[in-house]
Amino acid sequence: METNISLKAGTASGTVLSILPNILSEDIVKTIILAALGATVSFTVSLSLKWLTKSKNK
C-alpha cells in the first residue's frame, strides 16, 4: 500500500515539474483575468435573472 502512495506522489510531482517550465507568466495572468471576468459576468447574469423572475412573479 505504501509503494502505491509513493508511486502516485512521484507521478504527480513529475507531471507538475515537467509542465511547470512550459507555463508562461503571461498565461497565468491571462487565466486570472479571464476567471475574474467570467465570475463577474456569471454573478451579474444570476442577479439579473433573479430580478427578472422576481418582478415577473409580482
Side-chain angles (χ1 to χ4, degrees), residues 3-44:
T3 56
N4 193 14
I5 293 172
S6 65
L7 178 65
K8 289 179 182 180
T11 302
S13 62
T15 302
V16 169
L17 289 175
S18 67
I19 292 173
L20 199 57
N22 295 323
I23 298 176
L24 300 174
S25 61
E26 297 166 352
D27 292 337
I28 295 172
V29 171
K30 188 186 340 180
T31 301
I32 291 170
I33 292 171
L34 288 175
L37 180 65
T40 304
V41 169
S42 175
F43 181 73
T44 305

